Each structure stands twice: as structure tokens, then as C-alpha cells.
């Protein structure tokens, strides 16, 4: 079979457009109702998407201008697991603000409940608000966060591996349920973490839930190339995405990994219309709903500059973003995205805010179903993407547009599955199931 | 309506008898299958029980003689929430080994997903194995664990309270989704925890998931009397249970609480037969399946003495438990239970192991449905219990015996509901919904 696209639905309350909740057709009254989310997951599954994905941070984002996340993501995905059968379930969780033993249990349990559909989006959480909820006066440095993240992932993998796949015997006659010799302490003593193990439960169905990563800083890229099996990334242009793609695949190779087992999945937020004009009008309508005060605050958050003293209808001074190369590494990737937009498009402040309102730096496209499918195919075939994190501006309507109008075109072109071949997220993504690092060869007698 | 019994089903892999998995009819092959657990929860709901309950500790118990917990409890209960509509969902979680912000999110999310059915069994986790999984060389002292637990509960309550109940406006027209003045930082700076808040999400349906506690040490009792809305406890005799009940209610009163809002729910593990002889034979059969090596290890764990040098068929020397009053407070309650059995019954080692195999110190009863119902009614009416944590020795068969044979008797006697009146665990337990400690009076205009 030819190389296949991977497509996730990135769920995000009423939709990815920051003002989506204000849309007259928005489901803002239902976002606390788990059955509404279960309905979205079922729609994504009917379209044979690879996974649903939830972002997360352990803090309130401090604005009344949009809804807070009503749910913690691992529990929400567990409820979605109960309402679906095949689709992957990816939750974001922080290595900076969790204990690895607790987090390993939550993901293993989700994997078990879902029959092998769990994925972990590994983030280090750059948020002062989160730090203050965990006894810290500020966020640790980018370098320290990624050092801890590496140790954290190593510990969690060891815990998942600590029960060999054949550790459970359940022999009523002898009274031996578990072969104690096949359950291993991990005895991890490191810089940030000391964890003895073994894990509290048998190995989860996928061996290890799929490792996903979403940071694009230099530390983040190296971490991703070493650990991630899928990378969620944000690019505005084919060229930027190609450069990132090539860099990640080369770095993965340098870690001795198979580059095909490191999927690059940029975000794409599609406004779909039956004509280009209808699509553009949709995009324009959403932007009219934005609250500039909110957009400015968001922009300050990820670009690290103030724009509040500027007139909304004056051009953004290019020099405001000139220093992008000098800011902290962890902030650079998103700031660079904004700097590139400013340089390329010379927008007014209002135009820049609208440009970002749809996808917070992700690629917002508007066009007909064929145009959107063409963009996806181009990125997929021109070395920019192995698939996409689809970010509908409004749920469920613009997910429906995507699944009913764009997905069939991709299927007709032989780029996307019409049925699931497997049952696990690893199978959907074409990833191998890792062997336990503690696996022992069978004794000779068992082979006889 | 007259005072009503509260009845939970305490779920525990194949059943509460330690050798239940070896029973020819056990479901040991299915305990990793979430649909099996969902079936149990539905059976408990059909019988109108108040809640299902899961114990937990973040470690493997280190023996191959019985199954490990395949699931993390909060995620498992989330999957049970999706398969049920009314029954309460109570998970155990440790204040010693969790970050309060993370745990508050998990329980609030479970409460939201289930429509207000979550309960938190607050434990401090006395386990060296767990400590080693969280970077500690040993378990903090009983005093320190309960000090931290109090601070932890205060922080979690503040987080749940930090969004006033009417904080969400969702007004499309004005663009105001959340009233920022009704979302509060908690600014907690304490001995063990610094947490700024506010919480990441609106207040959960119950305001606060129900607070449950299961420790019976002196520190544990005081903590329970101050914080718990239900207490899970272990007693072998009516007299012991009455003394505990009276003490807890008096202590609750001394904290200014309504004693009726502190439910005392002892464990009861019933072997039910159509005749007394049949019930006793059932009990005997299970005990034949036990592995003495396992029982001895368990007994050492909670009684703090070695019995391995003794002949299984010699009487237990009473002096082995004579020091019960001198051991660490946190160990005393279970050791005292064992000491009382030894003094009262003068058992052989094997008899003692069988005595404990059914319920780890909880009350194991065997008898006809009427006899079991009589015991329940006696404890309920004689000041020993507000209800029970029912611990079937084998799932689902001995739960079925209880729900199909004992529950109807209790219903006929007017002691137990025949339909749910409410939808939340608070309503089932007859507990009020607490107001947010940050609630602000409505402005005059809103009252006009």
C-alpha cells in the first residue's frame, strides 16, 4: 500500500477559532456535557481519522473571553474511549508538573480501557500560571525542563516495560498468578527522579502508549527526534514546514532511529466553502467575532512583546519582532512564526490578530474542499508532512465539512484509508510495538 | 422517610477473598476487560446501591499469588460512569503521593463526566513500596502524613470552590464568557504546599466530590471526624463497631459538624447460602484455596509480627499481639483487630489466616439471606453503622447473591431504597451540597 496520510481531530471546546464560542451556531452551552464530546469522537471515528487529540495545561488561562477546559484530558479521553471502538486517543500531559509513577498509571489505564488506543503528547509546560499551582515561583529553564523531561520519559518507559509481556500466568491449580521473575524493579536514581518500581500493573496493550511531542524549540526538536513517534508542529508556509520536516528526520536518523517512525503532523485549520468566496466569507465572519483585547494578550503571551500601545489599524512595526533570534529558545518558535507573517504580509495589528485568531500560529486555510485537499496533498507529497492535526474552527460544523467533503477526496486519491486496518493507535500510525527493555529470552524448556 | 441504609459495592478484581481468583468460577481471565467491570457497576446500579468503590495504592504489592490492579481507579471509574447513570463512583487517592492541583482536576473531571457522582476516599498511604516510587526513602510519619493530608484537602476544597457556581455567563453578545471577578486565586502558602490557583475549570456539579476516609488510627479518626462525609471502617464485632461509631459522631460534633453528615460504613464480606450449612461450606471451600505463604506475608504487613516460624496447626501465641497498644499509631487499628480475634477465638495459625483471608480484617459473615440481613439491620439500628461497604468474596456471583437475595429483604423492611431519589452521590448519601467558601452575595440589582 502506498504511503498513507495520518489525520487527527484536535478537539478544543467550541472550536479552534478563538471567538468560535460567540458564533450563533456554537455549542458553547454543551461543552460541559460529555455526551457532546462523545458525539465528536464518534464523528471522527466514522470518518476513519487516526485519533482525537486534546491539548492541556494545569492552570486557568486567566481570561473571561473564552471558555476554560471543563475536563481534565485523560479522564475525558477515557469517556470517549467508552463511546468509540477504534479511534486513537491522545492527551497532553506535563513532565514538569506530574509525578512519573502517577502519570504512567493514568496512561497505561487509558491504554488498557481503550484496547491500545492511547497516545501521550509529552510537554514541558512553559507557563508561569502553572508553576504557581505547583509550589514553584517560576518556570524552570528550558534546558532544565527538557533534561527532566528526558529522565521522566525514560522512567515512564521503564515502568511500562517493567512487567514483561508474558508475566501473567493466572494458573489456578498452582496458585501462581504472576511470574515474579518477570516483574522488574527499575531502580532509577537520576538527577530529578528516584523511582524504584516495579509498575503497579501488567504492561499496557501497546507496550508503551504512543509518544508524541509538540515543542519546536531547539531543545524541543532534539527531544522530539530522540523520543517522539509523532510530532505536532505549527507552520505557515510549505517552505518552513519542509525545512522542519527535513531537520527532524535527519536528527532522528542521527539518534539511530527509523525516520519513518517519526511522523511529522502540522496543524491545519480549514475554513471550507463550496466556492472560494464562501470560504473566505466564513473566515471573515469568524474574525469579526474576535475581541482584540483577548488577542493582544495571547500574542504577548507567545511573542513576548507588547502591542497594546499601537493603533489596531496601523501596520505592525517589523522591528518589534526583529529580535526573535535572541529571545529564549522556548519562545522562539512561535515568535518566529509571527515575525515571518509580519515580514511577509506587512499586516495591521488587527489583521495580524485575525491571522492568529484561527489557529494560534497554526496554518489557517480557506478554500473549497478540492483546494484544501490539494494543500494537504502538496504538503504530504513535497516533504512537509506525514499527515495533519486538523483543527476545525467550529465544532461540530466545520469538522463535518472536513470529514464529509475533504476526506472523501483524499480517499478517492488513495491517500487516506476507507477502513481501519488495525485496532490500536500504533497500528493506525504504522508504528511498531516496542519490546520491553527487560524482556528475557524464554527458557529452553518453554521452547521445547 | 425513615433513616435509610447506605450500601456500596467495594469492587476488588475477582473478589474480596484473597484466593477468589483460584475459584473455578472466577473471572480472572476478564479482570483486564473494562466491559467486565462495567457489567459489575450496572449490576450494582440495578440493585440501587449508593456507589461502587475502588481501593488503591501506587505500587505493586509484590506477590505473584494474586492479580495486580490492572487499572488506575479514577480512569476505571470514568469508564464505569460512561456505562451507568445513577450510581456513585468512589476512588481512593493518596495525599502523600499526589500533587493537589492534578488530583483536584481528576476528581472534578470525573464529577463532571458522571453528572455529580464522584467521591474521593482520602488516604495517606502507609506503604514503603509506594514511597520508593516517589523519590522517598521511606514513608513519612503518621503525624506528618496527616498534617499534609489536612493541608492537601484544604487546598483541593479551595480549588474546587475557586470558581463560584455562577461564574460562567457565556454571553455571545458581549463576548464575556466567564465573570473574572467570580474566579478566585486561592493563594495557599502552607507547610507542605504552595498553590496559587484559581482552578482550571468551573466548579464541579457536586461543588466538591464527596469526602471519604478510611483510616482508623487516632490521627485518622480525628482527620475523619473533621473532614469526612463517609468513613469506611473495619470491625469484627458489634461492640467494637458501636464504640467506633460513638467516638466518630462525638468527635464530629466537637468540630461543629452535624453527626448525621458523617456516615459510618463498615466493611462486610458475606458468604450467602440457602441454608447455614451451605453458607459455611462456601466459606470453607474458599479457604481451602488460600496459599498460606501469601496470607502470612499479608498478616506480617498489617500486624507487624512474624508467624513464619510457627506450625500452621498450632494455636497462635497470644503474646505475639500483646504489644498492640505500643506499635505505631497507624498500624494499631488493624493489629488490634487481629489481637481481638486471637484473644476471643484462640485460633491456630491456619484458622487465623482463613479468618483474615475473606476480608483482610473486615467482618466476614456467612449465613442465609435472612441472617445476613438481620446482621445488617442490627448494626444499623444499634448504633454501629449508617450502612455498609459490601465486599463480595467473588465477583459477580456473590454480588448477585447479595443483590438478589439480601437487598430485597432490606427493601421489604423499609431500610433500603427501591428507586434512586436523586442523581448525585451527595443525594444518595443524604449530604448537602457545600457552598463555595468564595461565594459572594449577589449584587442588589440581581435580587431586584
Amino acid at each position: 500500500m502506498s504511503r498513507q496520510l495520518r489525520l487527527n481531530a484536535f478537539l478544543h471546546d467550541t472550536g479552534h477559532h478563538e471567538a468560535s464560542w460567540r458564533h450563533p451556531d456554537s455549542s458553547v452551552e454543551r461543552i460541559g456535557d460529555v455526551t457532546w464530546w462523545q458525539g465528536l469522537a464518534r464523528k471522527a471515528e466514522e470518518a476513519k481519522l487516526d485519533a482525537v487529540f486534546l491539548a492541556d495545561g494545569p492552570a486557568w488561562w486567566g481570561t473571561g473571553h473564552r471558555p476554560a477546559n471543563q475536563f481534565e484530558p485523560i479522564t475525558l479521553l477515557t469517556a470517549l474511549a467508552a463511546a468509540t471502538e477504534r479511534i486513537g486517543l491522545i492527551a497532553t500531559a506535563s513532565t514538569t508538573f506530574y509525578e512519573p509513577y502517577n502519570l504512567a498509571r493514568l496512561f497505561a489505564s487509558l491504554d488498557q480501557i481503550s484496547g491500545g488506543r492511547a497516545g501521550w503528547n509529552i510537554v514541558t509546560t512553559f507557563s508561569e500560571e502553572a508553576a504557581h499551582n505547583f509550589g514553584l515561583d517560576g518556570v524552570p529553564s528550558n534546558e532544565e525542563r527538557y533534561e527532566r523531561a528526558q529522565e521522566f520519559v525514560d522512567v515512564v518507559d521503564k515502568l511500562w516495560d517493567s512487567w514483561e509481556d508474558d508475566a501473567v500466568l493466572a494458573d489456578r491449580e498452582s496458585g501462581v498468578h504472576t511470574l515474579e521473575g518477570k516483574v522488574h524493579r527499575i531502580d532509577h536514581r537520576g538527577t530529578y527522579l528516584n523511582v524504584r518500581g516495579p509498575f503497579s500493573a501488567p504492561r499496557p496493550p501497546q507496550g508503551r502508549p504512543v509518544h508524541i511531542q509538540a515543542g519546536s524549540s531547539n531543545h524541543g526538536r532534539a527531544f522530539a527526534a530522540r523520543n517522539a513517534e509523532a510530532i505536532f508542529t505549527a507552520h505557515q508556509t510549505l517552505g518552513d514546514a519542509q525545512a522542519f520536516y527535513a531537520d527532524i528526520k535527519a536528527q532522528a536518523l542521527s539518534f539511530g532511529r527509523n525516520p519513518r517512525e517519526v511522523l511529522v503532523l502540522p496543524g491545519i485549520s480549514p475554513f471550507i466553502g463550496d466556492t472560494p468566496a464562501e470560504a473566505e466569507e466564513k473566515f471573515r465572519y469568524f474574525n469579526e467575532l474576535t475581541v482584540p483585547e483577548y488577542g493582544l494578550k495571547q500574542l504577548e503571551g507567545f511573542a513576548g512583546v507588547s502591542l497594546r500601545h499601537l493603533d489596531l489599524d496601523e501596520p505592525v512595526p517589523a522591528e518589534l519582532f526583529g529580535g526573535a533570534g535572541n529571545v529564549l529558545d522556548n519562545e522562539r518558535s512561535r515568535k518566529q512564526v509571527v515575525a515571518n507573517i509580519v515580514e511577509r504580509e506587512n499586516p495591521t495589528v488587527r489583521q495580524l490578530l485575525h491571522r492568529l485568531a484561527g489557529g494560534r500560529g497554526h496554518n489557517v486555510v480557506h478554500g473549497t474542499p478540492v483546494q484544501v485537499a490539494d494543500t494537504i496533498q502538496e504538503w504530504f507529497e513535497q516533504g512537509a508532512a506525514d499527515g495533519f492535526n486538523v483543527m476545525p474552527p467550529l465544532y461540530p460544523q466545520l469538522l463535518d465539512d472536513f470529514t464529509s467533503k475533504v476526506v472523501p477526496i483524499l480517499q478517492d486519491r488513495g491517500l487516506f484509508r476507507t477502513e481501519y486496518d488495525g485496532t490500536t493507535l500504533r497500528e493506525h500510525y504504522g508504528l511498531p510495538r516496542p519490546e520491553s527493555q527487560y524482556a528475557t529470552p524464554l527458557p529452553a524448556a518453554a521452547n521445547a
Side-chain angles (χ1 to χ4, degrees), chain A residues 38-293:
Chain A
Q38 289 172 328
L40 297 182
R42 275 193 291 258
K43 282 170 182 282
E45 184 169 77
E46 281 161 21
K48 317 301 174 193
L49 300 196
D50 291 80
V52 293
F53 163 57
L54 295 170
D56 190 59
W60 184 46
W61 41 57
T63 173
H65 287 302
R66 58 175 307 178
N69 285 331
Q70 182 90 46
F71 299 96
E72 180 284 329
I74 300 174
T75 42
L76 178 54
L77 290 181
T78 304
L80 303 191
T84 55
E85 294 181 355
R86 294 290 192 100
I87 196 162
L89 306 157
I90 302 169
T92 299
S94 172
T95 56
T96 304
F97 301 118
Y98 242 102
E99 288 278 356
Y101 205 90
N102 290 332
L103 196 63
R105 294 185 73 203
L106 290 165
F107 274 108
S109 196
L110 174 61
D111 204 47
Q112 181 72 18
I113 288 167
S114 64
R117 297 189 277 143
W120 171 24
N121 179 32
I122 307 161
V123 298
T124 66
T125 314
F126 178 74
S127 155
E128 293 288 330
E129 284 69 26
H132 292 147
N133 292 333
F134 291 84
L136 301 178
D137 291 327
V139 181
S141 72
N142 188 264
E143 188 167 358
E144 190 180 324
R145 292 202 320 281
Y146 275 103
E147 263 180 22
R148 180 182 157 100
Q150 187 62 56
E151 210 181 311
F152 194 111
V153 171
D154 290 343
V155 165
V156 167
D157 283 346
K158 286 182 199 170
L159 288 170
W160 288 332
D161 286 354
S162 69
W163 286 59
E164 295 183 46
D165 285 312
D166 54 355
V168 173
L169 192 65
D171 179 45
R172 286 179 174 80
E173 196 52 43
S174 65
V176 175
H177 183 274
T178 300
L179 295 166
E180 294 178 12
K182 287 185 175 283
V183 182
H184 305 271
R185 286 189 183 174
I186 70 167
D187 288 322
H188 176 90
R189 297 193 81 85
T191 307
Y192 299 95
L193 301 165
N194 294 319
V195 181
R196 193 175 73 174
F199 194 48
S200 55
R203 201 157 188 246
Q206 294 186 105
R208 305 173 189 167
V210 177
H211 292 21
I212 292 143
Q213 204 273 350
S216 294
S217 69
N218 283 349
H219 286 300
R221 285 189 192 205
F223 179 84
R226 180 169 164 190
N227 299 284
E229 300 172 291
I231 299 171
F232 298 161
T233 178
H235 302 291
Q236 293 281 329
T237 66
L238 179 65
D240 287 352
Q242 286 169 323
F244 180 86
Y245 188 97
D247 179 49
I248 283 289
K249 301 279 176 168
Q251 285 199 48
L253 203 57
S254 78
F255 283 110
R257 302 183 62 204
N258 179 346
R260 277 187 293 193
E261 294 170 7
V262 186
L263 307 174
V264 175
L265 308 174
I268 185 169
S269 187
F271 289 86
I272 298 158
D274 290 335
T275 63
E278 185 187 314
E280 193 172 345
E281 169 55 23
K282 235 178 230 187
F283 179 62
R284 195 198 57 74
Y285 180 78
F286 274 82
N287 283 337
E288 273 184 8
L289 300 172
T290 57
V291 178
E293 183 194 331

Side-chain angles (χ1 to χ4, degrees), chain A residues 384-419:
Chain A
D386 295 308
F388 291 85
N389 231 355
V390 182
M391 302 165 62
L394 182 71
Y395 273 108
Q397 295 87 343
L398 299 196
L399 171 67
D400 292 341
D401 282 357
F402 184 80
T403 57
S404 66
K405 296 176 182 174
V406 178
V407 168
I409 298 172
L410 298 170
Q411 288 170 329
D412 285 347
R413 294 180 186 177
L415 298 172
F416 189 64
R417 73 172 67 83
T418 52
E419 284 301 335

